[in-house]
Amino acid sequence: MAVRLALAFSANIRSIDRVTLWTTLPSGVAWARLLAVSNHHDNPLRASLSGGDTPLFATDLFAAAAEHWFLMVAAMMLPLLVVPIRQVAFRSYRWRRGRAIAGFLAGYGAAWMFAGAGVMGFLLIPDVAALIAVPATGSMALLAAAGWQLSPWRAAAMRKCHRSVALTPRGAAADLDCMRFGISHGAACITVCLPLMLAVMSALPGIAPAMILALLLYFERAYQRIHQAVPAIALVCVSAVIVLSS
């Protein structure tokens, strides 16, 4: 019996798609790092919104916030990239698939880091920290995110997340195509996910809410088994709890 279970387990492991494996593993490492940080203190992006005396762009806090942003993007977004990475791999010659995927990920990551720089720049605006520290602001952010979840602009961006593109088969043009695909896909993901991420980050402490949001986004994107109204209803309910408890 034990031998049969071992053989069945090994067969399931071998059947796991390599793309799925190599996107899930780094995501798990990023979540582990985020959980380790959250055991000591709140995430640096929320710490910068606490209204304290330490400015965001103080060297230590800025570096910690940039690291947290990178880890959050890796943890939440990598599992959503299985399909586009497969597209890049299947549309490239076997001998250059790794290079093509690296170019796609470079463009995708650059788009998200650019968005993160914009977020951290927004936090430099005077009185923003004091405003976001008010519980009612977090509640309003969740309501705005719920409205965005149901908007036609988000639906249009979601359709872009599922589109495929033609890639030049070889040469520098192929590298540029992969990077452009990564940037355009990252821009679509930012449009779809960033408002929800910022609302949850500003309104709810800890990593658990982000993990729940990541799970909802994963099923919505990868399997389309969650109607877009489900996250919106959840955000409205959480917003109501915040208002009633404040």
Side-chain angles (χ1 to χ4, degrees), residues 8-226:
F9 178 77
S10 62
N12 288 332
I13 292 297
R14 289 195 299 270
S15 67
I16 294 176
D17 184 86
R18 288 184 179 182
V19 174
T20 302
L21 182 64
W22 289 109
T23 54
T24 304
L25 286 180
S27 174
V29 171
W31 280 121
R33 173 59 180 163
L34 290 170
L35 287 171
V37 171
S38 68
N39 287 335
H40 298 285
H41 51 75
D42 203 358
N43 72 66
L45 290 176
R46 277 189 60 84
S48 67
L49 301 177
S50 62
D53 297 328
T54 304
L56 173 63
F57 272 49
T59 303
D60 293 341
L61 186 57
F62 175 70
E67 178 193 10
H68 186 277
W69 182 263
F70 176 81
L71 290 172
M72 186 64 73
V73 171
M76 298 185 70
M77 297 296 112
L78 277 177
L80 305 184
L81 296 181
V82 172
V83 173
I85 289 178
R86 282 176 182 164
Q87 291 178 6
V88 172
F90 294 157
R91 293 172 185 269
S92 302
Y93 288 119
R94 185 181 183 88
W95 56 269
R96 70 175 317 277
R97 282 178 180 173
R99 182 175 171 180
I101 293 172
F104 170 81
L105 291 176
Y108 185 87
W112 271 102
M113 295 308 292
F114 182 79
V119 170
M120 288 184 277
F122 174 74
L123 300 181
L124 286 175
I125 299 175
D127 300 327
V128 167
L131 178 63
I132 297 181
V134 177
T137 303
S139 178
M140 293 295 293
L142 291 174
L143 289 176
W148 178 251
Q149 176 73 18
L150 300 175
S151 69
W153 301 284
R154 185 182 186 275
M158 179 68 80
R159 287 192 293 271
K160 290 182 180 180
C161 292
H162 294 282
R163 71 177 180 178
S164 59
V165 298
L167 300 175
T168 304
R170 66 180 69 187
D175 296 330
L176 290 175
D177 280 353
C178 292
M179 291 191 68
R180 278 196 292 261
F181 182 35
I183 291 172
S184 64
H185 193 84
C189 285
I190 290 167
T191 304
V192 169
C193 302
L194 185 58
L196 305 180
M197 291 172 62
L198 292 180
V200 170
M201 194 180 300
S202 63
L204 302 171
I207 299 301
M211 296 181 76
I212 295 173
L213 176 61
L215 191 62
L216 290 173
L217 291 173
Y218 175 78
F219 281 104
E220 180 190 39
R221 179 82 61 84
Y223 296 104
Q224 301 180 357
R225 291 175 181 173
I226 293 182

